[in-house]
Structure formats: C-alpha cells, structure tokens
Amino acid sequence: MATDFKSLLPVIDISPLLVKCDDSHMMEDAAVAEVVEKLDRACRDVGFFYLIGHGISEGLMKKVKEMTHQFFELPYEEKLKIKITPAAGYRGYQRIGLNFTGGKQDMHEAIDCYKEFKREKYGDTGKILEGPNQWPEDPQEYKELMEEYIKLCTDLSRNVLRGISLALGGSPYEFEGKMAGDPFWIVRILGYPGVNQENHIGCGAHTDYGLLSLINQDDDKTALQVRNLAGDWIPVIPIPGSFICNIGDMLKILSNGEYESTLHRVINNSPRYRVCVGFFYETNFDAMVEPLDIFKEKYPGNKTCQENKKVVYGEHLVNKLKTTFANLVEHS
Ligand SMILES: N=C(N)NCCCC[C@H](N)C(=O)O
Ligand SMILES: O=C(O)CCC(=O)C(=O)O
Ligand SMILES: [Fe+2]
C-alpha cells in the first residue's frame, strides 16, 4: 500500500538510468536495476521522491526561479496584461485567490501554460484549452528560457517513466506509444505570498492529474507537504538542485492501482514570498486511460481500480479546470 512513510522522502540518483535510457536491455545493467528497485520502493511507499543526477543544471533551475520571482514582483497591472480568461484557453496569469481546491480559495498567484495544439485537434473536449500560451514580456528572456526548460523536462520525464515502467515489471516503454507517444504537458508557475493570518493555505490538498510531476521549488523555504497513510502531513524540505517527483492520477490508473497518486498541499509559513515551477508530464490528451493489460495480469488482486477506472485524460483535466476556475467568468 502506498503512502506509508514517516519522515524524509527517498532520494533517487537517476543518472545510471539516463546513461542507458535508449538501450532496450537497460535492465541488464546492475546500476540501472538498482535505480529501478529504488523507484519501485519510492512509488509504492510514498508516491513522492527527490530526483537527483537528472542532468538539468542547477544553474538553469535557479534561473527559472529567479525570473519567476522577478515576474511576480511586477505591479499587478503589469501582470494583468497576460490575464487568464476562458477566451484565452485558460492560459495566463491568475491573481491570488482565483484558484479553488476542494471548494476553498488558494493563496497563490500563477501563470498556467499548456502544450499548444492545433485548433479542433481534440474536438469539443479540447476546445476550452485552445490558444497560445501567454508569456510575459518582462522579464524579457522568460519565454525563451521556459521553452528550453520545458523541452528538457519533457525528455527527463519520459526517461524517468521508462524506469517506472520497468519498476512495475513492464518493458521500458509501457507509457509511450498509444498512451503517451504524444504526451500532453502542463506548466504552473506559482507564487505564494509570505505568511498571512487569515487563510494561509497556499494550495489545498489535491493529487496531480497526469503521469509524473517535476517540482522545482525555492531552496530556502519549506512549504510543500505530503500526506502519509496515518494522515500526517510530512514537510518536503528542499534539496538544492533536486526535483520533487510525484505520481499523477493517470499513472495510478495505468498501473492498475499498484502505485497511487499521493495527496499533497502547500502552506508557506515563511514570512518571505515563495516560488515554485511545476512541470506536469501527462498522457496523450485524447488517450482513453485504463489499467494496462500487463499490469492487470501482474496485479490481479487490485480489483477496485479495474472496476472503477476508465477515463479520457483530456476530460479528467477539463473537469478539474472547471472546479478550479468555477469563479472565472469572461468579465471578472
Ligand atoms: N496540474 C496540476 N497539478 N494542478 C494542480 C492545481 C491545484 C489543484 C487544483 N485547484 C485542483 O483542485 O485540482
Ligand atoms: O508549490 C508546490 O510545491 C507544489 C504545487 C502543486 O502541488 C501543484 O501545482 O500541483
Ligand atoms: Fe500538485
């Protein structure tokens, strides 16, 4: 059963897997097999882990956060130039309190971005997300930096998922091809004001929606919390240069419930402003997601998941958007 942990999340050095990630016999390498074993333990016990040795430079990760701080420090009117609206495909800047989780306002502001796609590519389901991303003009190099960063995070996520696919007992490629050969992605650029007496929930308890999340958070504040089976909230103390990785709802379904998407929330108790950039690697937007045959065979005991779960990823995302932005109307 997942989420049975007490304190520190596991730390996984993924570098041996990255060296061999294009070799279909990667599991024959002892160092790769060791990484895969660690991924299995982490995904089974916690659903969250620190990722190190991932090949994205600490300099780039820092620059992304520094520029994000610069953006959120701009005057409100300036930020509103890229305001999120339904007409803009729910892409762009949202003020503090616009995002709802579990029916409550979240104390964060954000820029939401989604992979861009051709109009009508995903029919009626995809329509509400159509539109180009809205990048700020200030800081000037932000768009370019983020596009480079997104490319690196996409490649890294695919490779980490090869390890997770092996960890579940599949080939390295169970989360590619039909399911995620054309992976959708989400980027949330998040800013959390320093501690505030009234409501200090930066982001309420939720699970992430897709396959794998890569969280790049400020090094000097602890705000993210992960819930274990006992119901305790475990703080995720930052490790500089690491990503926090966690499993999303689609991976839970595809794995036939063998791995779970773990609940987490954010409370910035520091007096200082915190930023975090979340990259969310998802299945294909139009994938019909249900437990994979191979994992139904391997884990036949997991009946609840098999019986209840079958969802088109894009519909899952759009449903989440509708509750998250129930207050967002054209003229707000
Ligand atoms: N793509 C991700 N992970 N987004 C999470 C956003 C925060 C939770 C959201 N308001 C909700 O209610 O789901
Ligand atoms: O701010 C964080 O550390 C995590 C944010 C988060 O959980 C999310 O956007 O899904
Ligand atoms: Fe999350």
Side-chain angles (χ1 to χ4, degrees), residues 34-50:
E34 202 177 311
V35 172
V36 167
E37 170 63 27
K38 286 186 185 154
L39 285 169
D40 184 49
R41 277 265 62 91
C43 293
R44 228 168 257 289
D45 297 345
V46 196
F48 265 81
F49 51 91
Y50 295 94

Side-chain angles (χ1 to χ4, degrees), residues 104-153:
K104 296 208 176 76
Q105 269 187 310
D106 290 324
M107 287 297 111
H108 70 253
E109 54 187 331
I111 306 175
D112 282 354
C113 308
Y114 298 89
K115 184 179 185 179
E116 293 174 356
F117 54 89
K118 278 229 252 353
R119 280 190 53 202
E120 292 176 4
K121 178 169 180 186
Y122 300 124
D124 283 350
T125 310
K127 214 171 212 55
I128 83 165
L129 277 165
E130 283 177 4
N133 285 319
Q134 301 201 71
W135 294 104
E137 276 175 19
D138 185 8
Q140 216 192 346
E141 320 83 67
Y142 198 63
K143 176 178 189 226
E144 200 184 331
L145 180 82
M146 287 304 298
E147 286 179 343
E148 170 64 15
Y149 180 73
I150 289 167
K151 203 153 70 62
L152 295 173
C153 287

Side-chain angles (χ1 to χ4, degrees), residues 99-102 106 186 188 203 206 208-209 280 320 323-324:
N99 197 301
F100 274 67
T101 304
D106 290 324
I186 304 172
R188 301 206 71 218
C203 184
H206 67 278
D208 292 342
Y209 314 150
F280 304 96
K320 293 284 187 180
T323 53
T324 292

Side-chain angles (χ1 to χ4, degrees), residues 188 190 192 203 206 208 215 217 223-224 264 266 274 276 280:
R188 301 206 71 218
L190 297 152
Y192 302 86
C203 184
H206 67 278
D208 292 342
I215 303 298
Q217 57 171 339
L224 176 61
H264 53 285
V266 182
R274 170 183 184 261
C276 169
F280 304 96

